[in-house]
């Protein structure tokens, strides 16, 4: 984190316990979301989600088979204020009740990020509240602490955290509870990532080949019910056990060739469930095989899985059945992009005294790249 430390309201975790209220804003891609999250009990976590308002742009991007950046940013402009007001109203809170504002400023589509960042900067400056710049993937990890009390004791660490979203597939070994997370948490803990497509992207691209609308992950999940996961032997890339990386780009080529062949035979429609189940199995297998290696290599005592793909039913089932350590997941409503997870990450950083002061908040920028 680049932000200057020690905004006037530097709060310890114990101080945070006395009802700190964070407004979180997320506009990094195709969800415009705001949430009001509050600390409740004697501990900073779990965080209570008092209000959450999300506008999904899925129907706007669906005809194009993927997110159109210009459409995303223009639409965020129209929806960001209603989402903020919606979250406040559901929470029954006013601007004056807010302790701090957290916003995703990286990574993502720059035009889309800028809408949330500008709104958050303006509010924080006008209301004289601390501003916290949040890394989107740190937000996904912090979604674990929404409405559930997990990873609160040392016995869960090291914890392997798998971030599986539409844009990223990364493995992190986190050795300490959130109050001790360093500024470069994501960089310092990463032990594996995808060389090309993310797992969610693999779902979305193969779903597109099958003719399902964007985003396709949930369609493949649904259509797999009743299909045979062994019907088609789609590739599992990088089987070498010494490599903790993923590669999903070969999968879409294999699916595309198979679909062409079935189309020629006029057999595609009858095979949709089998194709979906086989695609899903290939992605879940690839994820699980590398997770298993990482759990052993780093002697992890728990596994946490976050991001949109964490909602996948087969992945959840496989982890529950096969994983030798406790498995933690966000509640399903907090898996895909939302403002509450950004507020949660903001709460962690605020508790460490890491927020932007009035001067430095004005120069906060949006950044596209994940390693920033
Ligand atoms: O985390 P997220 O909301 O956005 C990013 O940060 O990318 O994840 C969206 C991704 C999409 O690729 C979507 O297809 C996938 O999560 N997804 C799923 C499921 N629900 C969402 N993939 C597989 N099975 C699901 N049930
Ligand atoms: Zn995300």
């Amino acid at each position: 984190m680049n932000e200057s430390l020690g905004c006037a309201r530097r709060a310890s975790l114990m101080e945070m316990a006395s009802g700190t209220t964070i407004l979180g804003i997320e506009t990094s891609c195709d969800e415009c979301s705001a949430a009001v999250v509050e600390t409740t009990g004697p501990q900073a976590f779990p965080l209570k989600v008092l209000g959450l308002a999300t506008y999904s742009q899925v129907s706007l991007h669906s005809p194009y088979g993927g997110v159109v950046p210009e459409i995303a940013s223009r639409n965020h402009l129209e929806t960001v204020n209603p989402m903020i007001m919606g979250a406040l109203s559901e929470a029954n809170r006013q601007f004056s009740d807010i302790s701090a504002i957290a916003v995703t400023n990286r990574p993502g589509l720059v035009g889309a990020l800028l809408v949330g960042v500008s709104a958050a900067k303006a509010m924080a400056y006008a209301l004289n509240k601390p501003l916290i710049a949040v890394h989107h993937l740190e937000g996904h990890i912090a979604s674990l602490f929404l409405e559930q009390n997990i990873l609160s004791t040392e016995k869960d660490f090291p914890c392997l955290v798998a971030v599986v979203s539409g844009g990223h597939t990364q493995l992190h070994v986190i050795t300490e509870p959130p109050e001790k997370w360093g500024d470069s948490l994501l960089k310092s803990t990463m032990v594996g990532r995808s060389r090309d497509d993310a797992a969610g992207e693999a779902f979305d691209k193969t779903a597109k080949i099958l003719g399902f609308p964007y985003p396709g992950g949930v369609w493949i999940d649904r259509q797999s019910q009743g299909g045979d996961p062994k019907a088609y032997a789609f590739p599992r890339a990088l089987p070498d056990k010494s490599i903790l990386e993923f590669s999903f780009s070969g999968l879409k080529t294999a699916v595309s060739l198979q679909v062409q062949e079935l189309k020629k035979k006029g057999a595609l429609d009858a095979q949709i469930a089998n194709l979906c189940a086989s695609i899903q199995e290939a992605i879940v297998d690839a994820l699980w095989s590398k997770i298993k290696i990482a759990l052993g290599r780093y002697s992890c005592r728990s596994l946490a899985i976050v991001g949109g793909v964490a909602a996948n039913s087969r992945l959840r089932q496989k982890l529950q059945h096969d994983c030798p350590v406790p498995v933690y997941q966000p509640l399903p409503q907090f898996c895909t992009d939302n403002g509450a997870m950004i507020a949660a990450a903001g709460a962690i950083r605020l508790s460490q005294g890491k927020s932007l002061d009035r001067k430095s908040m004005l120069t906060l920028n949006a950044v596209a790249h994940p390693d920033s």
Side-chain angles (χ1 to χ4, degrees), residues 6 20-21 24 43 63-64 115 134 166-167 178 188 203 213 220 232 251 269 276 279 283 311 319 323 325 330 335 363:
T20 303
T21 309
Q43 306 287 325
Y64 306 96
V115 177
V134 173
S188 62
F203 273 112
I220 297 218
Y232 298 94
L251 176 65
D269 287 352
C276 287
I279 291 166
I283 298 172
L319 293 176
C323 189
V325 294
C335 282
T363 56

Side-chain angles (χ1 to χ4, degrees), residues 28-31 136-137 140 164-168 199-204 214-222 280 306-313 335-338 341:
S28 68
C29 191
D30 57 346
E31 251 92 40
H136 181 80
L137 298 188
H140 273 300
V164 280
S165 72
H168 303 92
E201 224 172 342
F203 273 112
D204 296 341
Y214 170 85
V218 72
W219 288 94
I220 297 218
D221 194 345
R222 268 187 224 147
Q280 178 168 270
V306 302
V309 179
N312 182 264
S313 60
C335 282
T336 48
D337 292 351
N338 65 85
M341 70 186 202

Side-chain angles (χ1 to χ4, degrees), residues 11-73:
S12 73
L13 275 177
M14 291 320 286
E15 280 172 69
M16 291 270 301
S18 53
T20 303
T21 309
I22 317 266
L23 173 66
I25 301 171
E26 158 63 35
T27 64
S28 68
C29 191
D30 57 346
E31 251 92 40
C32 186
S33 183
V36 177
V37 160
E38 205 163 79
T39 56
T40 46
Q43 306 287 325
F45 305 112
L47 293 157
K48 184 140 195 59
V49 181
L50 301 180
L52 172 60
T54 302
Y55 179 78
S56 171
Q57 300 178 352
V58 159
S59 61
L60 301 180
H61 300 291
S62 211
Y64 306 96
V67 177
V68 183
E70 186 65 19
I71 293 177
S73 44

Side-chain angles (χ1 to χ4, degrees), residues 312-356:
N312 182 264
S313 60
R314 176 68 184 128
L315 182 61
R316 284 185 172 239
Q317 183 194 39
K318 182 135 191 145
L319 293 176
Q320 248 150 38
H321 194 256
D322 294 351
C323 189
V325 294
V327 181
Y328 300 122
Q329 290 171 328
L331 297 180
Q333 65 270 35
F334 304 127
C335 282
T336 48
D337 292 351
N338 65 85
M341 70 186 202
I342 304 306
I348 293 167
R349 294 311 187 181
L350 185 72
S351 78
Q352 299 175 331
K354 289 170 186 163
S355 55
L356 292 161

